[in-house]
Amino acid sequence: SPPRRSPVPFHSPLFYFQNYLFHVFKEMNSQLATQPAYRCFVETDKRAYYPGDRVSCNIELTFDRRFNCEEIITVCTGEMRVYWIEKQVSETALCRHQAYYQKRGIFEQKKPIWSADLVDIGKKKESSLSDIVRFASPNSIRPGNLLLADKKKEFRGFEAGKHVFPVEFQLPEEGIYSSLEVEGELVSIRYQIEIHCLVDGRITKKFHQLLHVFAPRDLSEDMDKLSRPTHSEKVLQCKIGKLSATLALPKTGYTPGEPLCAQVTVHNMTSNSVKFASVSIATKTTAIADKPNFEIRERDDETAGSILPFHKIQRGEKKEWVAQINVPALTPSFCIEDFIHVNYNVKLSVGFERGKKKDSVLHIKIPITIGTVAINTHNTEATPLKVDAEKSSEQQQSREYEMQLRQRMINLNGSVRTGLPSAPPSYEEAMSQQIPHYSSTCDDPVPYSD
């Protein structure tokens, strides 16, 4: 309980110390009051898992008071779901909210970890007429006292304290997708461990703990397609003139942490100055519901992008530069037919208002693929043994084009980040914390002012 505050001088150090202790004890008491009486903590042996891995965990149950329970079952489940609500208004009916959803199960494994000892509570005896008269009252007859007079049901469960139970599960090797959570619960792919506490076959208490699962995707399997350089050009014709832009990439397959170098060219033939140009990665998530009827909903998200390395592009000027961004931690690209689609694009946005991306007037998108294993065009073991001359020349052109982009970055920007690897560390190295350190030098930020 908080200490009683004694009258001390207002400016003395003891007054401030007592005031501090008073608030500390008050906060502790409030936390204890809001803490649930029955708690569960699941400790796993890894932070993330791959398909086919064995999940070993300890389930720690903490009870502040007696807990009635006959059996505890752990369930390891995987589930995919899409869900959203739309507001519908009609002339003949009031406004209503319609839910669209679809749910598919991936797998489910059950294991009992504890059960109470069987207790023979005896059969209920038949009451005689003398017993009824003896237990009767002026207003009613209480048969409960007759039935439980000889023996009452014994307590089955846990006393107050902490209880730990080990358990193991085996993840399936096929049909597993990476964990995914989209804001607003539009799309979710969840793997979790559930703890069910049962009494008479009914669940009286339920706990759960999420698991992070990564489904590997090797980009080298589609190396011929993803290692080719690509570009896109777009021209905007408006009242103030013509604005054209070009976006070029050395390849279209990337992994989280890998540097993405994009060559940007902007030709301003309008009467205004271009003060905004940014390269970012756009995520397009498509959710397909089948209940109550077939419906499709899409969601677009963007990562933080690069900045314009010039103060502005005046009318009549043509600027060219190389924008470099590091791919953030994104879920690998995948597609589940008639259910969930996750795709990515490199997006160039150009506008006349400084710092206002939503007011951009020109947009260029190039589709890319996100995986977990990077394209290694320099490793001969990763390429097929029989490769024709046309494929090998395309790979050589891709490598030369990427080197040209890096050289242009040095020439245009004056410096370049050095020491960056061609591919980021693998997921095994990241989870084992054996990540090498790379030195890098960054340019001074370009001042932005009108």
Side-chain angles (χ1 to χ4, degrees), residues 35-41 59-65 67 158-165 205 207:
Q35 191 175 21
Y38 308 119
R39 301 179 298 277
C40 177
F41 174 73
I59 299 175
E60 181 180 301
L61 298 173
T62 304
F63 304 127
D64 293 341
R65 56 177 180 263
F67 179 68
F158 295 92
E159 297 291 341
K162 184 181 296 184
H163 312 273
V164 180
F165 304 96
K205 200 68 178 177
F207 308 96

Side-chain angles (χ1 to χ4, degrees), residues 381-431:
E381 297 180 357
T383 59
L385 297 178
K386 297 180 180 180
V387 181
D388 54 10
E390 181 180 357
K391 292 184 179 179
S392 60
S393 62
E394 290 178 355
Q395 297 173 7
Q396 183 66 23
Q397 292 177 1
S398 176
R399 291 195 294 268
E400 292 178 357
Y401 186 74
E402 189 171 359
M403 295 301 297
Q404 292 176 3
L405 285 183
R406 293 184 177 275
Q407 186 63 33
R408 288 180 182 178
M409 183 183 293
I410 298 175
N411 299 333
L412 295 174
N413 301 341
S415 63
V416 66
R417 293 186 178 184
T418 59
L420 285 174
S422 59
S426 63
Y427 276 79
E428 291 84 355
E429 295 175 351
M431 289 188 290

Side-chain angles (χ1 to χ4, degrees), residues 125-136 141-142 146:
K125 67 172 187 177
E126 295 181 358
S127 302
S128 62
L129 183 59
S130 60
D131 292 334
I132 295 176
V133 173
R134 184 162 51 94
F135 286 98
I141 298 176
R142 294 168 292 188
L146 300 175

Side-chain angles (χ1 to χ4, degrees), residues 268-336:
N268 184 16
M269 293 173 284
T270 65
S271 58
N272 294 346
S273 297
V274 174
K275 299 179 181 179
F276 180 83
S278 175
V279 176
S280 60
I281 299 178
T283 306
K284 185 176 182 179
T285 306
T286 304
I288 303 175
D290 60 355
K291 295 178 182 178
N293 49 54
F294 189 85
E295 195 70 26
I296 299 177
R297 186 160 188 174
E298 296 180 348
R299 176 187 173 93
D300 296 324
D301 299 288
E302 292 187 26
T303 64
S306 63
I307 62 174
L308 181 66
F310 313 103
H311 178 62
K312 59 183 177 180
I313 304 177
Q314 298 180 359
R315 57 182 180 179
E317 285 187 342
K318 182 179 181 181
K319 294 290 186 179
E320 180 181 354
W321 72 94
V322 176
Q324 176 175 331
I325 58 176
N326 289 331
V327 180
L330 299 173
T331 304
S333 306
F334 69 92
C335 175
I336 306 176

Side-chain angles (χ1 to χ4, degrees), residues 26 60 80 93 103 221 274 413 421 438:
K26 185 178 179 181
E60 181 180 301
M80 303 181 292
K103 184 169 63 174
E221 298 177 356
V274 174
N413 301 341
Y438 302 97

Side-chain angles (χ1 to χ4, degrees), residues 101-315:
Y101 62 95
Q102 183 179 176
K103 184 169 63 174
R104 296 182 185 179
I106 303 176
F107 69 94
E108 180 177 322
Q109 300 177 9
K110 293 184 179 181
K111 285 188 178 181
I113 60 175
W114 180 87
S115 62
D117 297 332
L118 295 178
V119 179
D120 185 12
I121 62 175
K123 296 183 178 180
K124 299 178 180 179
K125 67 172 187 177
E126 295 181 358
S127 302
S128 62
L129 183 59
S130 60
D131 292 334
I132 295 176
V133 173
R134 184 162 51 94
F135 286 98
S137 65
N139 298 325
S140 63
I141 298 176
R142 294 168 292 188
N145 295 335
L146 300 175
L147 302 178
L148 302 179
D150 291 347
K151 191 172 184 180
K152 294 185 179 180
K153 186 176 180 179
E154 296 185 6
F155 171 75
R156 305 173 69 182
F158 295 92
E159 297 291 341
K162 184 181 296 184
H163 312 273
V164 180
F165 304 96
V167 66
E168 290 186 355
F169 291 99
Q170 183 75 32
L171 295 179
E173 295 184 358
E174 298 181 356
I176 299 295
Y177 298 91
S178 297
S179 301
L180 176 62
E181 292 285 345
V182 178
E183 185 179 358
E185 296 188 357
L186 175 64
V187 173
S188 64
I189 301 178
R190 295 177 181 174
Y191 303 90
Q192 62 184 7
I193 295 178
E194 299 179 357
I195 298 93
H196 299 171
C197 303
L198 294 86
V199 174
D200 295 332
R202 296 175 298 176
I203 299 177
T204 58
K205 200 68 178 177
K206 187 176 180 180
F207 308 96
H208 73 276
Q209 174 69 34
L210 293 178
L211 297 176
H212 299 284
V213 179
F214 293 106
R217 175 167 183 175
D218 191 354
L219 298 179
S220 299
E221 298 177 356
D222 300 329
M223 185 172 57
D224 297 338
K225 176 182 177 181
L226 302 179
S227 61
R228 296 177 182 176
T230 182
H231 72 281
S232 179
E233 183 177 1
K234 191 173 182 179
V235 179
L236 175 66
Q237 188 73 38
C238 54
K239 296 180 179 180
I240 58 177
K242 185 171 67 172
L243 177 65
S244 65
T246 304
L247 177 64
L249 297 176
K251 60 180 182 178
T252 56
Y254 296 90
T255 58
E258 187 176 359
L260 187 151
C261 300
Q263 181 183 356
V264 182
T265 304
V266 177
H267 191 189
N268 184 16
M269 293 173 284
T270 65
S271 58
N272 294 346
S273 297
V274 174
K275 299 179 181 179
F276 180 83
S278 175
V279 176
S280 60
I281 299 178
T283 306
K284 185 176 182 179
T285 306
T286 304
I288 303 175
D290 60 355
K291 295 178 182 178
N293 49 54
F294 189 85
E295 195 70 26
I296 299 177
R297 186 160 188 174
E298 296 180 348
R299 176 187 173 93
D300 296 324
D301 299 288
E302 292 187 26
T303 64
S306 63
I307 62 174
L308 181 66
F310 313 103
H311 178 62
K312 59 183 177 180
I313 304 177
Q314 298 180 359
R315 57 182 180 179

